[in-house]
Amino acid sequence: CVVSVTNVPPPHSTIRPGYPVPVNTNNPGVRKAARFGVYRYNNSSNDLFLFKESHIKKAMVQIVRGLKYMLHVEIKRTVCEKRDHSSLDSCHFQKKKNLQWMLRCYFEVWITPWRHKVHIPVVHCH
C-alpha cells in the first residue's frame, strides 16, 4: 500500500488509524517529510553550511488526524552556505574531506494536508 500526503488509504487498506506501519523509503510523502525534518534541523543548527538528506534508512507512518512520519535519516553537509538561502535540490554534498560531515537523525513529522500544516515535534541528530 502506498501512502501519500494527498490521499487517504482506501477502506480495504491494511493501515489502521493509530498504528505505525512501515512505509517505503522512496515514497513521495516520506521524502517530503524527510525534507521538512532537514529544514527544521538547518534552522536550528549553528553550522555555516546547509545539510541535506542523503539516505532514508527507515520510515514508519501513523494515521493520527493527518499523517505522522517517523523517519531514520542520514543527512550530510552540502556545499551551500546558509546565508545564500539556496534550494536544497541544487545543493551538492561536500567533496572536501575536511568539510564532509554525516549525521544520523530521527525525525517525527506530522502533516495535516487539509489544513496545509506541518508540525515537527522531534528532531534528534548525532
Side-chain angles (χ1 to χ4, degrees):
C1 176
V2 175
V3 176
S4 79
V5 172
T6 51
N7 51 336
V8 174
H12 62 273
S13 165
T14 55
I15 297 176
R16 295 281 172 258
Y19 294 99
V21 292
V23 62
N24 190 311
T25 55
N26 287 323
N27 175 291
V30 167
R31 296 164 70 83
K32 192 175 193 175
R35 179 59 59 90
F36 282 129
V38 168
Y39 285 146
R40 173 81 192 277
Y41 172 81
N42 283 331
N43 286 338
S44 61
S45 93
N46 293 323
D47 203 287
L48 183 65
F49 296 95
L50 292 169
F51 279 70
K52 180 167 93 170
E53 65 283 359
S54 61
H55 179 62
I56 301 170
K57 293 177 71 78
K58 183 180 173 189
M60 304 276 286
V61 68
Q62 180 179 14
I63 299 174
V64 274
R65 292 192 315 276
L67 297 171
K68 180 180 174 187
Y69 291 93
M70 289 144 279
L71 309 172
H72 294 270
V73 182
E74 289 178 354
I75 66 173
K76 290 183 180 175
R77 186 186 272 150
T78 69
V79 296
C80 297
E81 292 189 22
K82 269 189 177 178
R83 62 174 183 214
D84 296 337
H85 302 294
S86 308
S87 160
L88 280 179
D89 288 332
S90 59
C91 293
H92 300 289
F93 294 114
Q94 281 287 353
K95 296 269 189 272
K96 295 179 188 164
K97 275 275 187 254
N98 62 327
L99 289 176
Q100 288 177 353
W101 198 15
M102 191 266 290
L103 296 168
R104 287 183 176 84
C105 300
Y106 173 71
F107 299 144
E108 286 187 5
V109 180
W110 192 8
I111 299 173
T112 322
W114 58 90
R115 292 174 68 192
H116 304 289
K117 217 172 139 190
V118 177
H119 178 55
I120 305 151
V122 181
V123 174
H124 291 302
C125 294
H126 64 275

